[in-house]
Amino acid sequence: MSRRLDRARAALVVIDVQEKLARHIHEMPAVQLNIERMARGARALGVPIVATEQYPQGIGSTVAGVADAVKQGAEFDPIQKMTFSCQDCEEFRAALGLADQILLCGIEAHVCVYQTGLDLLDAGLSVHLVTDATSSRDPRNRQVAIDRLSSEGAKLTSTEMALFELTRSAGTDEFRMISRLVK
């Protein structure tokens, strides 16, 4: 079994990038840009995307730029949840389909991203935490979540690293598109 990301086996999970929370997140402009890059790259490479919203009535909708990057066609239909771990939501588990390599990003790193990552690992899936597309209000909480997920078996990656790993080779239209995205 290959340790490399394989677009036929992967799914991108974008967790809870919502308006009322996003404005308080450490380095949010850079994090949002990387989430948008991940989503556009995943779409271009045919990698399925699953987005979630935690209690949208209270925390608001997904940030407009992220919703635009994530949506397939004309619609954006995030999975709404009340649980911290996305894995506790039946609709989320069904949306992952057969993907066994999960690219994980979003907010907050130490709550919903962390708990989802642990549960995905417990389910036997390969978790790839996109560290530059994941944050928390407090950078210390972000770092603890990254450290803990890594020690539990998640693989750490970055937006550019993951997108080029999924692309696999230069000289293609996909490569040129991904290159433009990360510049």
Side-chain angles (χ1 to χ4, degrees), residues 21-83:
L21 184 57
R23 64 182 83 144
H24 303 287
I25 296 298
H26 178 69
E27 297 182 342
M28 190 60 197
V31 170
Q32 181 176 337
L33 177 64
N34 286 323
I35 292 169
E36 291 172 11
R37 286 175 172 158
M38 278 303 306
R40 287 189 178 97
R43 272 199 347 241
L45 298 170
V47 173
I49 304 169
V50 179
T52 66
E53 290 179 345
Q54 176 76 20
Y55 182 58
Q57 300 85 340
I59 302 175
S61 300
T62 298
V63 172
V66 172
D68 288 342
V70 167
K71 69 182 173 186
Q72 305 287 344
E75 294 198 24
F76 175 65
D77 190 22
I79 296 169
Q80 297 183 359
K81 63 184 182 66
M82 291 294 290
T83 60

Side-chain angles (χ1 to χ4, degrees), residues 97-115:
L98 298 176
D100 65 354
Q101 294 180 335
I102 310 302
L103 287 151
L104 197 57
C105 66
I107 58 178
E108 281 196 89
H110 67 293
V111 184
C112 295
V113 175
Y114 168 73
Q115 290 183 35

